[in-house]
Amino acid sequence: MEAPKEPHSISLKVLRLSRPTFHEYVRLPQSPVDTELPIDPDAALSQGIQGGNDFLFQPLLKLPPAFGSAYVGETFSCTLCANNELPDTSDRLISSVRINAEIQAPTQTVPLDLSPSDEYQAELNSGDSLQKIIRFDLKEEGNHVLAVSLEYTEVTAKKDVESAGRMRTFRKLYQFVAAPCLSVRTKVSDFPLRGLENEKRSYARPMLFALEVQLENMADGPITLVQIVFAPKPAFDTTLVNWDVSGAGSDRMESPFLAPRDITQAAFLIKQKPNSKAETTKDERVILGQLVIRWRTSMGDAGFLTTGWLSTRKRP
């Protein structure tokens, strides 16, 4: 018969780091005129704290009540806390505490750097905590697993005599799903060259394409598009034809604001440089380049997305 496992002297807590959200208030219905106890409809709204409207803590923001949603293109951040749960009267000493973490993404496993980067905690007294912060850029959709390993040395001291320390370790897994924040749809159109509409294209002449892009906000909250650019292959030049959020001066347009399920569009003209050779795939599709998109959430969290290589349709 196996002996029951001894509980660990250290507990491990994983807390996601995220910015607060705006607290939503709903106005109360209007009270009837003849009621004896009329209620102001604004009674449910945030009125600050009595005694000073400029008090720092106002009920305008709230912390996430749960883990929340994780989106591709954003940075996933957590703090890892190793807490010594032994009472002050315990004769056990904890030292050489070490935390390791890795992310198991759908296609790869990535070891994570911890901050601060000191490898070991020399000693962890009763009630003390060792905290590390991890950050990981989410680049893939689907299930992710945060695997955290904790190891430490436990020494039992009785009557001023220390026993030989023993190394203890355990591992915890935390699963979450990374969902797409932006849905990107593209369409490439080929402009026929004048005089060659009814002939097979002569690829010695420059090619001209139009790239149509449709962006849909798939997140639970609003986002603001900061930048959308097309990074072409060396053989091409590109021009954004309908709006430019990265411009300067009086011609600069406001950054598009997308509420959940809102859609915006962009269009690019892509022209081959004279005397340049375009790259093609095995099935003779012309490789044009990649889209680079940046955005921010309502609380300022940054997002970044790069598409795969965009190409033309197969040659007829």
Side-chain angles (χ1 to χ4, degrees):
M1 178 181 248
E2 292 185 4
K5 293 184 178 180
E6 182 181 355
H8 283 276
S9 304
I10 293 183
S11 65
L12 178 65
K13 303 294 183 183
V14 176
L15 305 175
R16 186 179 179 189
L17 299 178
S18 60
R19 301 193 182 191
T21 57
F22 287 108
H23 202 296
E24 297 181 1
Y25 293 88
V26 179
R27 293 173 60 91
L28 297 176
Q30 186 71 40
S31 300
V33 178
D34 56 351
T35 183
E36 297 181 357
L37 296 174
I39 300 177
D40 187 349
D42 293 335
L45 303 181
S46 173
Q47 302 294 336
I49 297 179
Q50 296 181 357
N53 292 330
D54 56 350
F55 190 72
L56 178 62
F57 298 102
Q58 301 264 348
L60 299 176
L61 302 176
K62 64 178 181 179
L63 295 177
F67 178 86
S69 301
Y71 294 108
V72 175
E74 298 181 353
T75 300
F76 177 80
S77 302
C78 278
T79 179
L80 313 178
C81 304
N83 307 306
N84 188 342
E85 303 292 351
L86 294 174
D88 295 337
T89 56
S90 175
D91 57 2
R92 285 178 286 179
L93 303 177
I94 303 300
S95 62
S96 301
V97 182
R98 181 180 181 182
I99 302 176
N100 293 313
E102 64 182 19
I103 285 282
Q104 299 171 8
T107 62
Q108 60 180 337
T109 298
V110 182
L112 299 178
D113 295 328
L114 278 66
S115 177
S117 58
D118 50 317
E119 188 173 2
Y120 287 97
Q121 175 78 8
E123 187 173 340
L124 197 64
N125 297 322
S126 175
D128 287 351
S129 176
L130 172 64
Q131 298 187 9
K132 300 287 186 179
I133 295 176
I134 60 156
R135 293 181 175 87
F136 178 72
D137 294 331
L138 297 173
K139 300 179 181 179
E140 300 180 75
E141 297 180 28
N143 291 328
H144 289 64
V145 177
L146 171 62
V148 184
S149 300
L150 176 66
E151 60 183 51
Y152 60 97
T153 301
E154 185 179 80
V155 178
T156 302
K158 294 183 179 180
K159 296 182 179 180
D160 299 329
V161 178
E162 291 187 1
S163 63
R166 59 169 177 165
M167 177 69 70
R168 304 194 66 186
T169 181
F170 63 90
R171 178 183 175 92
K172 285 190 174 183
L173 303 177
Y174 303 87
Q175 185 174 354
F176 62 95
V177 177
C181 181
L182 276 178
S183 172
V184 182
R185 304 178 184 91
T186 61
K187 177 184 177 182
V188 178
S189 301
D190 186 358
F191 282 94
L193 298 175
R194 183 175 300 177
L196 296 176
E197 291 85 351
N198 300 321
E199 303 178 21
K200 187 175 180 180
R201 181 204 302 271
S202 171
Y203 282 90
R205 298 184 60 181
M207 296 178 285
L208 183 63
F209 303 96
L211 172 63
E212 301 173 62
V213 182
Q214 186 181 84
L215 304 176
E216 181 179 0
N217 179 12
M218 306 298 292
D220 296 331
I223 63 173
T224 300
L225 291 179
V226 176
Q227 183 185 53
I228 173 171
V229 297
F230 183 74
K233 283 288 190 177
F236 295 96
D237 287 324
T238 182
T239 303
L240 180 59
V241 296
N242 59 337
W243 54 266
D244 187 357
V245 299
S246 60
S250 59
D251 295 332
R252 177 183 173 91
M253 297 179 61
E254 293 186 2
S255 300
F257 175 86
L258 299 180
R261 302 304 180 268
D262 276 1
I263 295 175
T264 189
Q265 294 180 328
F268 297 85
L269 280 179
I270 306 169
K271 185 177 182 180
Q272 185 181 10
K273 298 177 181 178
N275 302 321
S276 62
K277 184 178 180 180
E279 296 183 37
T280 59
T281 61
K282 293 181 179 180
D283 57 356
E284 298 186 340
R285 300 173 186 265
V286 179
I287 303 175
L288 300 177
Q290 294 176 297
L291 276 172
V292 180
I293 307 167
R294 299 179 186 273
W295 69 88
R296 287 192 178 274
T297 65
S298 58
M299 300 306 294
D301 291 315
F304 174 82
L305 180 65
T306 302
T307 66
W309 292 108
L310 303 180
S311 60
T312 62
R313 290 176 293 182
K314 187 176 180 180
R315 298 182 189 179

